[in-house]
């Protein structure tokens, strides 16, 4: 499953994503096929759709571990004749064509299939599919029948006159993680170009998986919809025009349920009506007028049950009454009721599927979040500013090769009037020259830094703050020493006139010289290169003439040199930093290796400044300056220490290893600082550690000075001698806009319910003594005061504690007691609940014994029952949600009789307290304070709770096994001998065990929890609405009471309404509203109803003559959050997983792991070891049809089950060839009607369960015939089977197993398994009811001692 992301587009057309799981803003880099920049963007979970600057539509599809792979199918048909036999030429005119689909429609020869677009490629050639309803068809894959269409058989008979066979071929989508252009010949011929696009409709029922409604608006106001957009066809098929009743549109928005709103040219709104599962694009339009006479709508944004709009003036409006989940109830749910004006002025607004709201400010182009939006208040409370700030800890430090002028143009500096075109050309040549002169990786350049400070500018006829920028010039050559760190920077100088610049390369020398000169002064930078290949490149560049740029200057600049010194931390200078405190006379600053910028792919991020909490400005593009707490003029600092270049290089290398590419940190800034500080009459832009982050492939050797701790430097100020040379004007710095100027954002892929759990949305708490910039004041104490505090605390501890530790306690406590009033279920001839009082008494110390006493009255006589704590083998909650306040205590005696101790409390919180307490007192005996050992048995209950049975040193009977609860919530588990354990949740999410313990009923901070993490799960609750037809009233719930209930769940529990349906437990919470489920067995009509003659008969879609009852299925999703020793593994949802049963010799040895995805794809995991239990990546294994189960047995034999119930065997699998060779179908299958649904393979044994609950064993499996000969029936009423490395067999039973009138979920194990009798002799009970899944794939059972064997009497 893809991460939830907020998508943003800045003014330069660059795309960024912000994940709800992280605190970083990530830019999509190197994703353009032709360098396109985006103007509009609409996101979804699978990717995004966008409109480029060329007005073409582009699609971005996230890459997944399982590729998008589509099967093409065609059928070859033939008829038999006495002369030529079977041939396609013998077909009659009334027959189907020689090549057709499965139903005989169309003419589909193999040559007629072509790829949909250039974004696809063929994955193999045409092949024959010889599978026929779980069996292998006859030779050549032919299926036979007497005529078209008749029932088909896999074998030919004397009356078979026609035959067909299936040909398949796969194609793969290869345009992932790139912006792929959508080609459409019709749109190209019409000449229309798109100006807006919207994506939604992913929550419309009964649609194909991944269905999306993609709507677009052209420059002529026409509306188009992209048809056929699904997971298997992410780019769709074609654009279909939608009539708008002569209303031209400028903006459009689509909700999750397919609701569509549009904005017309005159500022009114159009709403699409009739949207349902049969008409996903609606049927007609209706007009919604503007909010008031003076307001015209400019842009709208739809959520699930909300709509927000912006006027042309930027005013924010909210539409009441929108109900996207109730579109079938009428037009009011789609059009809403009234407009409400909200506070704030915005330039763009976006709404998430969970009705959360984001917006871009009207003037400052920053992102705002609407706080306080809930299901009861969609309007929210206030606008909360999100400030995007770079994290200097993740800056790149690699050198670069070159930067083209196109990349500079894409940075947005041209459009912002930051530099002239001639200056841009000089910058490009300079950077190319510098790169080719040895500024690449591995080169060594030494020198020091000189800074030309800003000076007063001549008076000009232009407004203040505009046009008065800073010129960036190069200035340096300083002596190169072995102890100094080489840094190069482009530095600010005066906006001078009458100055020329020139860049020259000396071809005969292995160095590059850059000269800055004027009539009076100038400086030269000399760089050393260690690469001989750069000399040849410099010869080519030497012949390229450089244009001269005239700039204004009359005063000599001041040269400032910075010498690298010691690595130290200076937080006091940073905390006391005053923005704009840099003077031309003297400067003091700090250099940090974290602030060295060295990568640049396209300079997209360089055109604007970052809002900072400490500084008010930024020197863009190259150099950032930060003044210290004090400004002093120094030439040589006597206290400074030299730092060798080796130390600095080592520091930079360590920083590089920990950095991420192009990430930003999000913080909250209540006050937005300005971007400009004025020193005297000159404009100086100051920037802190937030520096541009570029790509690793291309970079340029610029240096940034920021507030991050690192190298402290000394700045010496001295005048520069006048030299009559030209100076290059690199570019002009105008008052900068914020670092990220956002133009567009979209939240359709950003799904979250609780903003308080999103790190970058948490409120920024301001203190009373906060700085004017909104930062908290750090309270620091001196070391002397700290030592004084610690000394006083030590004296107090000695006086009050240490002096009395040898004195005996006044009261000796040998045990503690806990009491509570409960109800106890007493089994017997007349089972009943009795009021009782329960006392838990436990001695001090982990080895002390304890007891649980139940005091009750029976027939008026006080009585009691006592349970020894050491005899308890399992403590858990009842799985039935109707009895969720009941605690189940299993002892060695009650397990055999299936009559556990049942204690009912008043609330679930009390149940959790008692379960946690009973487990804690047995923590040492059950070894709950240590990781789960290898060889344990893992299981899950119907509630999703996880229980583990540790390995035993000696053979233990089933009813004596201990079951310990672990934190987490899963549906099924799979373990192995090597200790690798994977789990799958109810929402098909995948989790791996971390090796920790605890969580769940234990607090995450207790001594019984270690390495536990947050875990989430989601499931669907359903309820049926029942009605009966009456002659007078028609269909009504009045007469239902005679045969059923008006509302009932799948357990036939009665409810008065669906709102009374309760959650599975108090740990769950609702995350959606009730909605009709159309995807039901037997089908449903347009309103979701299913019809039948009675409630006991099968339901079907259409209403028949004898049908007198009907029902409708409603579903609602709920979510659970817990903690446990589990971490999310992969984003691919799974329905089954299996790990090898073979042992491993070392922790680095590969482990074979196979799985089945929710779409039926078979996968194998690469890189799974004991050291890396999560593995690295998936390898898809090609199959001809979707699968449902898989199991890896001894010697890496892989067995799998297809959706049609057929069994398959995969030979050739080894630990170094985990994908195997090919699939072999296992024949013969079980008897007709017994479709296999689950399979488990041991070292040699293969067991399976079918859809009817029958348990099967594969007989006569040998080394020469590993697929066996036939299936043998063993037992019935079985839900699940697990086979271990010793071919031991455990099962989870259904109700009434072996004629036992007990509930479902009892665990049994097979006894008597031997070489003579591989299927065993009988079943032994292990634990009582309520279990869902068990895995013994990692268990080695000790051999049973001979004296424990029962003595059998001779027959």
């Amino acid at each position: 499953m893809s991460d939830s992301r907020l998508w943003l587009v800045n003014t330069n057309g660059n795309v960024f994503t912000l994940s709800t799981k992280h605190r970083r803003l990530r830019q999509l880099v190197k994703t353009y096929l032709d360098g396109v920049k985006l103007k509009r963007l609409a996101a979804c979970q699978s990717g995004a759709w966008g409109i480029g600057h060329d007005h073409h539509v582009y699609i971005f599809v996230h890459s997944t571990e399982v590729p998008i792979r589509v099967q093409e199918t065609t059928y070859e048909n033939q008829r038999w004749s006495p002369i030529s036999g079977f041939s396609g030429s013998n077909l009659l005119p009334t027959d189907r064509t020689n090549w057709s689909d499965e139903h005989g429609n169309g003419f589909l020869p193999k040559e007629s299939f072509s790829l949909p677009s250039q974004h696809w490629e063929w994955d193999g050639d045409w092949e024959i599919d010889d599978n026929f309803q779980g069996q292998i068809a006859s030779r050549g894959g032919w299926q036979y029948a007497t005529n078209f269409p008749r029932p088909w058989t896999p074998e030919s008979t004397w009356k078979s006159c026609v035959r067909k066979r299936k040909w398949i071929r796969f194609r793969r989508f290869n345009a992932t993680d790139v912006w792929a252009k959508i080609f459409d010949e019709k749109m190209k011929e019409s000449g229309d170009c798109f100006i807006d696009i919207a994506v939604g409709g992913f929550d419309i029922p009964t649609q194909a998986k991944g269905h999306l409604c993609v709507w677009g608006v052209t420059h002529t106001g026409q509306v188009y919809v992209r048809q056929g957009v699904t997971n298997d066809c992410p780019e769709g098929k074609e654009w279909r025009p939608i009539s708008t009743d002569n209303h031209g549109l400028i903006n459009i928005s689509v909700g999750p349920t397919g609701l569509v709103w549009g904005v017309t040219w005159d500022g009114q709104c159009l709403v699409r009506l009739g949207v349902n599962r049969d008409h996903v694009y609606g049927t007609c339009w209706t007009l919604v007028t503007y909010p008031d006479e003076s307001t015209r709508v400019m842009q709208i944004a739809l959520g699930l049950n909300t709509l927000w709009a912006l006027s042309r003036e930027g005013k924010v409006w909210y539409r009441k009454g929108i109900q996207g989940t109730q579109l079938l109830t009428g037009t009011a749910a789609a059009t809403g009721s009234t407009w409400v004006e909200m506070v704030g002025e915005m330039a763009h607004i976006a709404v998430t599927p969970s009705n959360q709201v984001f917006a871009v400010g009207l003037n400052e182009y920053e992102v705002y979040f609407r706080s306080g939006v809930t299901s009861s208040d969609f309007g929210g409370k206030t606008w909360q500013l999100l400030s995007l700030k770079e994290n200097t800890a993740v800056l790149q430090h690699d050198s670069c090769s070159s930067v083209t002028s196109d990349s500079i143009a894409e940075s947005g500096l041209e459009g912002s009037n930051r530099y002239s075109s001639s200056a841009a050309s000089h910058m490009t040549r300079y950077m190319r020259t510098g790169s080719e002169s040895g500024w690449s990786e591995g080169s060594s350049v030494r020198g020091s830094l000189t800074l030309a400070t800003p000076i007063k500018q001549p008076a000009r006829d232009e407004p203040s703050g505009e046009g008065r920028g800073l010129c960036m010039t190069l200035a340096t050559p300083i002596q190169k020493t072995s102890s100094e760190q080489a840094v190069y920077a482009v530095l600010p100088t005066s906006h001078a006139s009458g100055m020329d610049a020139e860049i020259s390369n000396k071809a005969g020398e292995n160095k590059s010289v850059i000269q800055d000169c004027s009539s009076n002064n100038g400086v030269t930078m000399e760089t050393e290169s260690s690469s001989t290949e750069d000399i040849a490149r410099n010869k080519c560049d030497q012949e390229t003439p450089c244009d001269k740029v005239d700039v204004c200057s009359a005063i000599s600049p001041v040269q400032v040199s910075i010498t690298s010194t010691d690595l130290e931390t200076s937080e006091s200078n940073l905390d006391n930093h005053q923005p704009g405190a840099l003077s031309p006379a003297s400067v003091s600053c700090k250099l940090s290796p974290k602030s060295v910028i060295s990568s640049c792919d396209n300079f997209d991020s360089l055109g604007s400044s970052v809002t900072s909490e400490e500084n008010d400005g930024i020197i863009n593009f190259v150099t950032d300056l930060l003044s210290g707490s004090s400004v002093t003029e120094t030439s040589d600092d006597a206290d400074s220490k030299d730092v060798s270049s080796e130390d600095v290089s080592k520091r930079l290398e360590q920083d590089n290893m920990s950095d991420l590419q192009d990430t930003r940190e999000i913080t909250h800034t209540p006050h937005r600082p300005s971007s400009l500080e004025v020193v005297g009459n000159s404009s100086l832009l100051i920037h802190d550690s937030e520096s541009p982050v570029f790509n690793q492939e291309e970079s340029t050797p610029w240096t940034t000075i920021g507030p991050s701790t690192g190298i402290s430097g000394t700045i010496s100020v001295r005048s520069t001698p006048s030299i009559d040379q030209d100076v290059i004007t690199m570019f002009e710095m105008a008052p900068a806009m914020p670092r990220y100027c956002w133009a567009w954002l979209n939240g359709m892929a950003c799904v979250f319910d609780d903003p308080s759990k999103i790190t970058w949305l948490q409120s920024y708490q301001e203190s009373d003594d906060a700085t004017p910039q909104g930062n908290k004041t750090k309270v620091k104490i001196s070391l002397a005061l700290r030592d004084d505090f610690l000394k006083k605390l030590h004296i107090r501890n000695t006086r009050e504690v240490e002096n009395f530790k040898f004195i005996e306690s006044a009261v000796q406590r040998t045990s503690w007691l806990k009491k509570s009033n409960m109800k106890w279920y007493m089994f017997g001839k007349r089972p009943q609940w009795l009021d009782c009082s329960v006392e838990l008494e436990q001695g001090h110390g982990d080895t002390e014994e304890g007891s649980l006493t139940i005091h009750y009255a029976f027939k008026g006589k006080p009585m009691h029952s006592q349970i020894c704590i050491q005899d308890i083998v399992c403590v858990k909650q009842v799985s039935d949600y109707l009895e969720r306040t009941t605690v189940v205590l299993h002892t060695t005696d009650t397990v055999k009789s299936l009559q556990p101790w049942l204690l009912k409390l008043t609330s679930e919180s009390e149940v959790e307290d008692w379960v946690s307490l009973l487990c804690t007192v047995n923590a040492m005996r059950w070894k709950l304070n240590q990781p789960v050992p290898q060889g344990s048995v893992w299981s899950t209950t119907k509630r999703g709770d996880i229980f583990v049975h540790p390995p035993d040193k000696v053979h233990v009977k089933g009813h004596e096994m201990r079951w310990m609860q672990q934190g987490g919530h899963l549906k099924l588990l799979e373990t192995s001998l090597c200790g690798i354990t994977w789990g799958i949740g109810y929402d098909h999410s995948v989790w791996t065990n971390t090796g920790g313990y605890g969580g769940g009923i234990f607090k995450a901070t207790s001594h019984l929890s270690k390495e536990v993490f947050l875990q989430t799960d989601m499931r669907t609750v359903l309820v049926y609405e029942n009605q009966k037809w009456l002659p007078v009233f028609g269909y009504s719930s009045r007469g239902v009471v005679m045969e059923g209930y008006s509302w009932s769940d799948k357990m036939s529990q009665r409810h008065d309404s669906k709102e009374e349906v309760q959650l599975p437990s108090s740990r769950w919470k609702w995350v959606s509203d009730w909605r009709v489920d159309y995807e039901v067995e037997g089908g449903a009509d347009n309103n979701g109803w299913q019809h039948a003659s009675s409630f006991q008969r099968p339901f079907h879609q259409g209403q028949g003559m004898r049908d007198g009852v009907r029902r409708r299925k409603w579903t609602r999703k709920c979510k659970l959050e817990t903690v446990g020793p589990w971490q999310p593994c992969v984003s691919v949802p799974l329905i089954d997983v299996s790990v090898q049963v073979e042992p491993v010799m070392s922790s680095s040895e590969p482990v074979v792991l196979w799985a089945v995805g929710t779409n039926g794809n078979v996968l194998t995991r690469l890189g799974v070891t004991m050291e890396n239990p999560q593995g690295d990546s998936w390898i898809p294994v090609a199959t001809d049809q979707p699968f449902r189960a898989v199991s890896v047995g001894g010697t890496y034999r892989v067995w799998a089950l297809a959706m049609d119930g057929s069994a398959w065997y995969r030979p050739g699998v080894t630990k170094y060839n985990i994908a195997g060779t090919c699939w072999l179908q296992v024949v013969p299958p079980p008897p007709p009607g017994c479709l296999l649904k689950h399979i488990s393979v041991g070292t040699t044994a293969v067991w399976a369960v079918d859809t009817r609950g029958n348990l099967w064993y594969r007989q006569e499996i040998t080394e020469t015939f590993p697929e066996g000969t036939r299936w043998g029936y063993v037992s019935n009423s079985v839900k699940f089977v697990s086979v271990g490395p010793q071919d031991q067999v455990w099962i989870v039973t259904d109700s009434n197993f072996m004629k036992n009138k007990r509930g479902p979920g009892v665990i049994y194990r097979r006894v008597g398994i031997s070489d003579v009798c591989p299927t065993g002799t009988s079943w032994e009970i292990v634990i009582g009811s309520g279990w869902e899944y068990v895995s013994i794939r990692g268990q080695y059972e000790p051999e049973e001692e001979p004296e424990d064997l029962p003595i059998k009497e001779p027959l």
Side-chain angles (χ1 to χ4, degrees), residues 752-970:
F752 59 89
D753 299 313
D754 190 358
S756 63
K757 297 181 179 179
I758 308 300
T759 56
W760 44 272
L761 288 180
Q762 293 176 358
S763 299
Y764 187 90
Q765 303 292 337
E766 291 188 57
S767 59
D768 297 336
D769 55 350
T771 60
Q773 287 79 9
N775 298 330
K776 289 183 178 180
T777 301
K778 296 181 180 179
V779 180
K780 298 182 179 180
I781 60 176
S782 64
L783 293 178
L785 184 59
R786 176 179 176 272
D787 294 340
D788 184 55
F789 286 160
L790 294 177
K791 183 179 180 180
K792 291 181 179 180
L793 290 174
H794 177 71
I795 296 174
R796 179 179 177 181
N797 182 68
T798 303
R799 182 178 68 251
E800 298 180 359
V801 179
E802 295 294 331
N803 296 334
F804 303 97
K805 65 180 181 179
F806 299 106
I807 300 177
E808 294 185 5
S809 301
V811 179
Q812 291 288 342
R813 293 186 178 181
T814 59
S815 64
W816 54 267
L817 189 68
K818 180 179 175 61
K819 295 182 180 181
S820 181
N821 294 325
M822 305 181 189
K823 287 188 176 182
W824 171 52
Y825 189 81
M826 187 178 66
F827 289 93
K829 295 182 179 179
R830 296 180 180 179
Q832 56 182 319
W833 287 98
L834 300 177
D835 294 330
C836 65
S837 175
V838 179
E839 295 180 356
L840 174 62
E841 184 178 3
Q842 173 65 27
H844 281 286
D846 298 326
T847 59
E848 297 293 334
E849 296 183 356
S851 63
L852 187 71
T853 306
I854 303 175
H855 300 275
Y856 62 96
F858 183 69
K859 294 182 179 181
K861 297 181 179 180
M863 305 180 69
H864 73 274
S865 297
Q866 196 170 54
I867 307 171
C868 184
I869 295 298
Q870 289 73 20
D871 293 338
I872 298 177
V873 296
C874 181
V875 181
K876 73 181 189 71
Q877 294 178 253
V878 173
S879 300
D880 188 358
Y881 74 96
L882 297 177
E883 300 290 341
R884 52 190 171 186
T885 60
T886 303
V887 179
V888 182
L889 301 180
H890 291 280
T891 63
T892 54
D893 296 329
T894 61
V895 169
K896 293 185 294 183
S897 61
L898 290 177
Q899 294 181 356
W901 297 90
L902 301 178
L903 301 174
K904 181 181 291 187
L905 291 94
T906 57
S907 64
E908 288 188 63
S909 60
E910 288 187 88
V911 172
E912 294 179 356
D913 290 341
W914 272 92
V915 171
S916 176
L917 184 61
L918 291 172
C919 292
T920 303
V921 297
N922 271 331
M924 293 300 296
R925 300 180 185 89
W926 292 354
K927 298 180 181 179
L928 294 178
N929 56 347
Q930 63 184 18
V932 177
Q934 297 183 12
S936 300
V937 179
W938 292 74
S939 63
T940 60
T941 66
K942 291 183 178 180
R943 282 173 43 92
D945 297 332
I946 302 169
F947 285 83
V948 178
H949 167 64
D952 298 302
K953 296 182 180 179
V954 296
H955 180 78
V956 177
K957 296 181 179 179
H959 63 275
E960 297 176 351
M961 293 182 174
R962 305 183 311 276
W963 295 91
M964 310 171 301
Q965 186 170 355
Q966 291 289 324
H969 189 274
L970 296 171

Side-chain angles (χ1 to χ4, degrees), residues 42-308:
C44 57
Q45 287 292 334
S46 60
W49 291 66
I51 299 177
H53 68 283
D54 55 359
H55 295 285
H56 284 292
V57 177
Y58 293 80
I59 181 175
F60 184 92
V61 180
H62 291 299
S63 62
T64 58
E65 296 183 90
V66 180
I68 301 175
R69 194 164 174 262
V70 180
Q71 176 180 294
E72 298 286 3
T73 305
T74 185
Y75 284 82
E76 182 182 3
N77 307 306
Q78 293 182 356
R79 178 176 283 275
W80 181 85
S81 69
I83 300 175
S84 58
F86 282 101
S87 175
S89 59
N90 298 330
L91 293 171
L92 302 177
T94 56
D95 290 338
R96 58 184 66 181
T97 59
N98 189 18
W99 296 89
S100 66
D101 62 8
E102 182 180 5
H103 304 288
N105 301 322
F107 179 63
L108 303 174
K110 294 185 291 184
E111 297 77 13
S112 64
F113 290 85
S114 60
L115 295 174
S117 68
Q118 64 179 6
H119 308 311
W120 293 83
E121 62 182 4
W122 289 114
D123 188 8
D125 205 348
W126 287 98
E127 298 179 354
I128 297 175
D129 182 10
D130 56 1
N131 178 64
F132 174 73
Q133 298 178 359
Q135 303 181 28
I136 297 180
S138 62
R139 184 177 181 181
W142 292 103
Q143 306 171 25
Y144 296 88
T146 57
N147 200 355
F148 297 113
R150 298 288 184 180
W152 297 93
T153 60
E155 299 293 338
S156 176
T157 61
W158 64 271
K159 56 182 179 180
S160 299
C161 297
V162 295
R163 67 178 183 178
K164 69 174 183 179
R165 62 178 173 181
K166 181 181 179 181
W167 290 81
I168 59 175
R169 191 180 188 184
F170 293 90
R171 53 183 170 89
R172 186 193 301 264
F173 186 78
N174 56 14
T176 56
D177 288 340
V178 296
W179 287 104
K181 182 182 291 187
I182 302 298
F183 297 94
D184 193 286
E185 293 296 334
K186 294 182 180 179
M187 296 297 298
K188 184 177 181 181
E189 294 175 358
S190 64
D192 286 343
C193 56
F194 287 92
I195 62 172
D196 195 19
I197 196 167
V199 175
F202 46 82
D203 212 4
I204 302 178
T206 69
Q207 302 304 312
K209 188 175 182 179
H211 168 80
L212 293 175
C213 294
V214 182
W215 292 68
V217 177
T218 65
H219 70 289
T220 60
Q222 299 296 319
V223 177
Y224 288 84
V225 65
R226 187 72 177 179
Q227 292 183 319
V229 180
T230 61
N231 280 353
D232 292 337
C233 187
E235 59 184 342
K237 298 180 180 179
E238 62 177 356
W239 289 105
R240 168 190 163 189
I242 302 293
S243 175
T244 56
D245 302 332
N246 298 325
H247 291 283
L249 267 62
I250 59 173
N251 178 249
I252 199 167
S253 181
V254 186
T257 56
L259 178 61
V260 180
W261 276 59
V263 179
T264 63
W265 286 341
D266 57 355
Q268 300 187 83
C269 295
L270 277 182
V271 184
R272 191 70 173 172
L273 302 179
V275 177
N276 53 51
R277 67 189 185 102
D278 296 324
H279 302 89
V280 293
Y281 306 122
T283 56
C284 61
W285 296 95
T286 185
L287 191 65
V288 175
T289 186
Y290 23 75
D292 55 49
E293 293 298 332
S294 61
T295 302
R296 299 295 182 269
V297 179
M298 187 68 181
Q299 188 239 330
I300 52 174
L302 270 170
L304 181 62
N305 292 315
T306 186
L307 180 138
W308 291 69

